[in-house]
Amino acid sequence: MSSNRFFVLFVLLFIIPVVYAQNFNLFIGSSPEELCPGSTGLFTDVIKNEGANALSISVSSTGTASSFSTTVPQGFTLFPGQSKTIYTYVTPRSTTNIGTYSLTIKASSDSETKSIDHDVIVKDCYEYALEALSTQKNICPSESEKFDFVINNNGKFTETYLLSV
């Protein structure tokens, strides 16, 4: 009778936790700062196999930023205790509107799916300020006068400006 109790205790303590153990976890790594249109940022996330068996993992991305994102690798095998870094390169097109976009990284095995959400912030990197030094001048007919302006490039890039009247 005591051997039966020992067997039941063995099953409860060692086998059942293995059956119900999570297969893998997905962790947030690093994130880029705000991005300019046309520039590239890098998100890193980490997948760790915490189960007792090798897992075949597939990775995908969804969300409003997925159209200008690439995630690699998209598929791999993780052995027990092994970790893998997932890289997601985000490059907003030069025509991408300023704002916040969503990016969801999904990792799936045969038995479960996990996801991480990221915000991709696209900022205005082409800001400038134009200021007239004087807004009014008095002149007589047949005279000419000039108006002076100051333009400040407040953006991230070197720009060429063409001003016309």
Side-chain angles (χ1 to χ4, degrees), residues 8-21:
V8 170
L9 183 61
F10 176 78
V11 168
L12 290 174
L13 291 176
F14 295 104
I15 295 178
I16 290 177
V18 169
V19 171
Y20 291 106

Side-chain angles (χ1 to χ4, degrees), residues 86-149:
I86 304 302
Y87 300 95
T88 303
Y89 298 92
V90 181
T91 307
R93 295 172 193 86
S94 59
T95 57
T96 301
N97 291 328
I98 308 311
T100 301
Y101 296 83
S102 65
L103 180 65
T104 300
I105 306 300
K106 292 183 181 179
S108 301
S109 70
D110 291 336
S111 60
E112 65 183 311
T113 298
K114 302 234 173 155
S115 64
I116 289 181
D117 295 323
H118 295 287
D119 284 335
V120 177
I121 301 170
V122 179
K123 67 179 184 171
D124 185 1
C125 298
Y126 302 100
E127 295 179 40
Y128 66 91
L130 180 63
E131 178 185 2
L133 296 180
S134 59
T135 58
Q136 181 178 350
K137 293 190 178 193
N138 296 319
I139 61 170
C140 294
S142 301
E143 292 180 351
S144 62
E145 186 61 68
K146 69 176 186 169
F147 285 88
D148 292 319
F149 293 87

Side-chain angles (χ1 to χ4, degrees), residues 8-78:
V8 170
L9 183 61
F10 176 78
V11 168
L12 290 174
L13 291 176
F14 295 104
I15 295 178
I16 290 177
V18 169
V19 171
Y20 291 106
Q22 292 181 335
N23 287 327
F24 70 92
N25 272 319
L26 184 57
F27 304 98
I28 293 177
S30 64
S31 301
E33 304 261 329
E34 297 175 338
L35 298 172
C36 295
S39 64
T40 299
L42 175 64
F43 288 95
T44 60
D45 299 304
V46 178
I47 298 176
K48 182 174 183 182
N49 182 348
E50 295 181 348
N53 299 315
L55 295 174
S56 178
I57 305 285
S58 62
V59 179
S60 63
S61 61
T62 59
T64 55
S66 65
S67 65
F68 51 83
S69 301
T70 302
T71 301
V72 291
Q74 293 182 344
F76 52 91
T77 300
L78 280 181

